[in-house]
């Protein structure tokens, strides 16, 4: 069975080269091709002998993620459909603002959490992305940023398809490669991992002393309402999540954000705002992001009017809550929050 060359560490490559009678520096050359030049094929490694390339090609392959197609929003957002080596698709988004170029990346093909408002939640989870596939997502979006905006990505958010904490090992390995000097060298402070609320794994993040930021997709501030829209709350209720978030903050001191989508006549009243304020007081959260709802065909929810949204925001601000309204980007191409995977993940 062919092996993924990108899963072979530099020390392992050095051992392989020694076994083949090749000089040690060949391992560094191969590692450089894989992680600095992001080679798509072993035959691209032109500073290796043809004989060595042939030997490697007999045992290894490079499962590169390919850009299938892109859609361009009127606001500058670019949604991308990416094809994995086994034919599955995921979607990722490049989001430009005046100060940032953010990559919104996926961690799974589909999702198992079945949140009632999210397009991906209506899909079956096919598999986790491998760590190198997540790195490919980021490098492809970085190339897109350079091509269209003349600069590199400034931020990465794990807010695409899937629950990143249910693909913990690959997510962590990808972030390690993205932030390491022999990878992309990005600061972990510019990375945010968003979770629907897997308390056990939030605690694991704390134990692993991660340096990146954490966002909780909250969307309702009582168990009764959250149970209605997010099945994960039945096994990871708010009290459990509050404990896990406090544990995380005590261990890391890293920024925590609440994400809260406003749904018309569901979680947008003053009573809902008061529930949110009470919850906010129990966690050292830096910010509540109020998010505009982006309708999908499969869900019954609607976006509240501007007056309701403004009143909700004002009530939070009056109670000294640090709150920000996050306007949706890429709505015209179904690239906004909760809309990814409208085109599906099926194999061609």
């Amino acid at each position: 069975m062919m092996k993924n060359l990108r899963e072979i560490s530099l020390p392992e490559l050095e051992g392989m080269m020694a076994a083949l009678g090749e000089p040690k520096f060949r391992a560094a050359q191969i590692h450089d091709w894989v992680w600095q030049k992001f080679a798509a094929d072993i035959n691209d490694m032109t500073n290796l002998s043809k004989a060595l390339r042939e030997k490697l090609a007999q045992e290894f392959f490079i499962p590169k993620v390919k850009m299938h197609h892109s859609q361009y929003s009127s606001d500058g957002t670019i949604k991308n459909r990416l094809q994995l080596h086994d034919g599955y698709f995921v979607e990722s988004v490049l989001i430009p603002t005046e100060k940032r170029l953010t990559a919104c990346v996926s961690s799974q093909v589909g999702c198992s959490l079945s949140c009632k408002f999210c397009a991906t939640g209506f899909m079956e989870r096919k598999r986790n992305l491998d760590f190198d596939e997540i790195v490919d997502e980021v490098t492809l979006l970085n190339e897109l940023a350079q091509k269209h905006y003349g600069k590199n990505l400034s931020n990465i958010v794990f807010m695409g398809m899937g629950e990143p904490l249910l693909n913990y090992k690959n997510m962590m390995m990808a972030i390690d490669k993205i932030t390491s000097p022999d990878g992309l060298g990005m600061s972990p402070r510019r990375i945010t991992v968003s979770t629907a609320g897997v308390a056990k794994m939030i605690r694991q993040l704390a134990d692993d002393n991660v340096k990146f930021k954490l966002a909780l997709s909250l969307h309702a501030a009582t168990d009764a309402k959250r149970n209605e829209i997010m099945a994960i709350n039945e096994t990871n209720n708010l009290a459990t999540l509050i404990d896990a978030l406090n544990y995380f903050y005590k261990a890391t001191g890293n920024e925590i954000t609440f994400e809260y989508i406003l749904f018309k006549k569901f979680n947008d009243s003053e009573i809902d705002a008061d529930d949110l304020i009470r919850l906010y007081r129990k966690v050292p959260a830096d910010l509540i992001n109020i998010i505009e709802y982006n309708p999908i065909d499969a869900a019954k929810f609607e976006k509240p009017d501007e007056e309701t949204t403004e009143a909700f925001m004002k009530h939070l601000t009056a109670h000294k809550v640090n709150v920000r309204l996050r306007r949706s980007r890429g709505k015209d191409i179904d690239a906004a929050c909760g809309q990814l995977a409208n085109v599906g993940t099926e194999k061609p």
Side-chain angles (χ1 to χ4, degrees):
M1 183 176 178
M2 299 286 281
K3 301 175 186 176
N4 180 354
L5 185 58
R6 297 188 294 192
E7 292 180 350
I8 310 301
S9 68
L10 182 56
E12 289 173 322
L13 285 171
E14 290 172 347
M16 285 170 47
M17 292 303 102
L20 291 171
E22 295 282 347
K24 185 177 180 179
F25 70 83
R26 292 294 183 210
Q29 288 178 322
I30 296 168
H31 194 265
D32 183 67
W33 276 108
V34 170
W35 293 115
Q36 292 293 319
K37 298 173 183 174
F38 296 101
D41 192 284
I42 290 170
N43 284 322
D44 294 341
M45 301 178 182
T46 51
N47 58 355
L48 305 183
S49 69
K50 183 178 179 181
L52 178 55
R53 280 180 277 158
E54 287 176 350
K55 288 178 184 177
L56 289 173
Q58 289 173 5
E59 190 174 352
F60 298 98
F61 77 118
I62 303 174
K64 289 285 287 186
V65 175
K66 298 177 181 178
M67 184 72 73
H68 186 265
H69 71 264
S70 300
Q71 291 175 272
Y72 298 85
S73 169
S74 58
D75 64 21
T77 299
I78 306 174
K79 182 171 78 166
N80 308 281
R81 195 180 198 207
L82 308 178
Q83 187 168 17
L84 310 181
H85 71 93
D86 56 2
Y88 284 119
F89 294 102
V90 293
E91 293 188 340
S92 60
V93 185
L94 177 63
I95 308 167
T97 63
E98 289 184 9
K99 297 181 180 179
R100 296 181 177 184
L101 275 173
T102 300
C104 177
V105 300
S106 296
S107 56
Q108 296 179 311
V109 182
C111 187
S112 60
L113 297 186
S114 303
C115 297
K116 301 299 184 185
F117 50 84
C118 176
T120 315
F122 285 90
M123 302 170 60
E124 180 184 351
R125 187 192 72 84
K126 301 296 185 180
R127 69 171 177 87
N128 289 334
L129 265 67
D130 292 330
F131 84 98
D132 52 311
E133 293 175 317
I134 297 172
V135 175
D136 273 353
E137 275 192 272
V138 174
T139 56
L140 285 169
L141 289 176
N142 194 51
E143 290 171 4
L144 207 59
Q146 292 168 341
K147 177 181 177 181
H148 288 276
Y149 296 102
K151 51 188 177 181
N152 292 327
L153 294 172
S154 62
N155 297 80
I156 299 170
V157 294
F158 281 75
M159 296 182 182
M161 296 167 58
E163 167 55 58
L165 297 193
L166 294 182
N167 187 14
Y168 192 88
K169 180 181 177 181
N170 285 307
M171 177 202 73
M172 292 289 285
M173 290 175 66
I175 291 175
D176 182 63
K177 186 60 67 176
I178 290 164
T179 57
S180 68
D182 68 342
L184 298 179
M186 178 174 279
S187 168
R189 303 294 183 188
R190 294 186 173 274
I191 298 174
T192 300
V193 171
S194 177
T195 176
V198 188
K200 178 181 178 181
M201 302 318 296
I202 292 172
R203 287 178 169 271
Q204 187 64 53
L205 291 174
D207 292 341
D208 288 337
N209 196 30
V210 300
K211 305 300 181 186
F212 50 78
K213 301 174 183 178
L214 183 65
L216 175 67
S217 293
L218 184 62
H219 312 316
T222 66
D223 284 322
K225 285 199 172 183
R226 204 164 187 262
N227 286 345
E228 284 189 51
I229 59 173
M230 301 178 74
I232 191 173
N233 198 73
E234 295 175 9
T235 52
N236 292 261
N237 64 26
L238 290 172
T240 304
L241 290 175
I242 288 167
D243 285 346
L245 291 171
N246 280 303
Y247 183 83
F248 172 85
Y249 186 81
K250 184 177 180 180
T252 69
N254 294 356
E255 183 176 315
I256 298 172
T257 301
F258 286 157
E259 308 283 338
Y260 191 95
I261 299 173
L262 280 181
F263 302 111
K264 183 178 180 180
K265 295 183 179 179
F266 178 76
N267 66 351
D268 61 351
S269 70
E270 188 172 302
I271 293 173
D272 295 310
D274 287 333
D275 289 334
L276 182 54
I277 291 164
R278 280 190 287 273
L279 189 62
Y280 176 78
R281 300 279 185 241
K282 296 177 181 179
V283 177
D286 291 78
L287 174 70
I288 297 177
N289 268 327
I290 301 298
I291 303 171
E292 292 183 312
Y293 178 61
N294 304 293
I296 59 171
D297 293 339
K300 62 181 180 180
F301 299 102
E302 297 178 28
K303 174 185 171 182
D305 57 37
E306 287 291 329
E307 292 77 11
T308 301
T309 300
E310 185 177 339
F312 194 91
M313 294 280 295
K314 281 185 176 180
H315 191 74
L316 294 180
T317 302
H319 287 78
K320 296 183 170 27
V321 173
N322 185 22
V323 61
R324 177 177 61 196
L325 178 62
R326 198 171 83 199
R327 295 288 184 184
S328 295
R329 303 294 300 270
K331 288 187 287 187
D332 55 331
I333 57 169
D334 291 334
C337 180
Q339 293 184 316
L340 291 193
N342 275 1
V343 296
T345 59
E346 69 281 355
K347 293 183 181 181

